[in-house]
Structure formats: structure tokens, C-alpha cells
Amino acid sequence: KFIPRDNWWCSPWSMPADIFEMWRNALGQFAALALAIAFLIRKRTKPVALIFLTLATAALLYSKMLVYYRPRIDSCTQIWAKPLSGRRAALLFINFSPEDDITMHCDSHCLYSALSLHRNSSTLPELFPLTSAELSASILAFNLYAGNTTTLSSTDSLSVHLNPNGEATIFTLEFSYSSTSI
């Protein structure tokens, strides 16, 4: 059975990142070896030394071409919210930046918007108004990865530091009522 595959020789820009780095390193090592051989044999056999010099130059040029045509990925961060049962919500922070570690913030408007999402009878989420008790309540943010809970006031924001290349973290949010707000 034929399974079409991407031809990385003709389209190096579509190589996965790990294969791209492997090829770039291998080409650099090959070029260094070919240059060393060309330098060592240049006095004895000049035509063979020129062949090794040409191979080293071709490897370096192909490596430069790989870097030049590799697509640049813009920094991208996202915050996703999903309603859960019982007026709770899940909040996902993700950093797709290829190089930058970022501190992301979900301010009080973001937090209350996530907590006001609820599923209606179709499967589309809609916003429900928050009650005065909910607006004055604290928010408990439980980090599912770290296993810790942060209590936020109605004016706080939730901040998360994420490393590059798709690092993510997930929180569950719920209201925490004090005895005076009920």
C-alpha cells in the first residue's frame, strides 16, 4: 500500500524541527570533515582536495538554504476557557512561541468571563449574567499540573509563566463564597 510522504530533500521547510536540527548538525560536521581532508591533502593531490572543498562548500550552502527557507513561527499565546458543571470553568494557558518564555495574565474580566460561560441546550456556550454574590466572591484557581490552589479576589489576575514551544498549564476555576457574601 502506497503512503505518500513529504519529500524533505525538495521541501526542507516542511521538516519537523528535530529532523531539521539533525540535518543541519550533520551537514556542519560533514563540511568540517571535508574541509579538514581538503586542507590535509592539498599539497599531494590537488584535484582530490578540490573535490573535498567543493563537497564542503555544497554542504554549507545546503545548510544555509535549510535555515533560510525554514518558516518563521510568530509568537503566539492563547488562553482557552471551557465551562464545567456547577458554575466552574477550566482555563488553559499555552505558549506556542518558538523562543520566548512568557508570563501570561488573565485579568478579572477574563476570569469572570470564563466563569460565566455555560452550555445551553445546543452545544454552543453562552454567557450567563453573574449574581452579585458571585461578583463579590473570591475565585479559587486550582493548577492541575502543579497541584496547588490560588485564591484570587475580584480584582486580581491569574498570572502564569510558560516556557516556549507549546508549554501549557490548566486551571479549574470556581467561586469561593465568604460567609458575609451569601
Side-chain angles (χ1 to χ4, degrees):
K1 180 177 176 181
F2 175 74
I3 300 173
R5 296 208 170 120
D6 202 2
N7 185 350
W8 295 335
W9 293 101
C10 296
S11 60
W13 45 88
S14 64
M15 284 184 190
D18 55 341
I19 293 174
F20 168 78
E21 289 299 325
M22 180 193 70
W23 268 109
R24 201 172 62 118
N25 291 336
L27 287 168
Q29 290 173 2
F30 175 77
L33 179 65
L35 280 173
I37 291 171
F39 180 76
L40 291 173
I41 65 170
R42 73 184 184 281
K43 300 231 186 219
R44 280 185 253 156
T45 56
K46 200 171 198 171
V48 176
L50 285 174
I51 290 172
F52 276 102
L53 183 62
T54 304
L55 288 172
T57 304
L60 287 173
L61 288 174
Y62 186 68
S63 178
K64 291 289 183 190
M65 186 197 69
L66 286 176
V67 171
Y68 181 78
Y69 285 107
R70 187 89 177 136
R72 304 294 178 254
I73 301 172
D74 294 330
S75 292
C76 174
T77 58
Q78 297 178 1
I79 300 175
W80 290 71
K82 178 176 174 58
L84 302 174
S85 63
R87 296 290 268 187
R88 297 179 319 128
L91 206 58
L92 169 72
F93 293 80
I94 189 162
N95 178 14
F96 289 113
S97 170
E99 298 169 358
D100 304 323
D101 54 331
I102 294 174
T103 300
M104 298 174 64
H105 306 279
C106 181
D107 63 7
S108 59
H109 177 73
C110 169
L111 294 169
Y112 283 107
S113 294
L115 283 165
S116 65
L117 274 176
H118 287 278
R119 297 251 177 229
N120 59 18
S121 58
S122 66
T123 54
L124 300 173
E126 64 182 45
L127 291 173
F128 283 94
L130 296 173
T131 66
S132 60
E134 289 170 332
L135 288 172
S136 62
S138 298
I139 296 173
L140 295 178
F142 178 70
N143 186 328
L144 292 174
Y145 291 163
N148 58 356
T149 301
T150 304
T151 303
L152 304 166
S153 72
S154 59
T155 58
D156 287 342
S157 66
L158 183 59
S159 298
V160 177
H161 183 81
L162 295 174
N163 293 320
N165 293 317
E167 184 175 45
T169 192
I170 301 174
F171 288 86
T172 58
L173 305 174
E174 63 182 89
F175 291 110
S176 172
Y177 302 100
S178 65
S179 57
T180 58
S181 67
I182 296 178

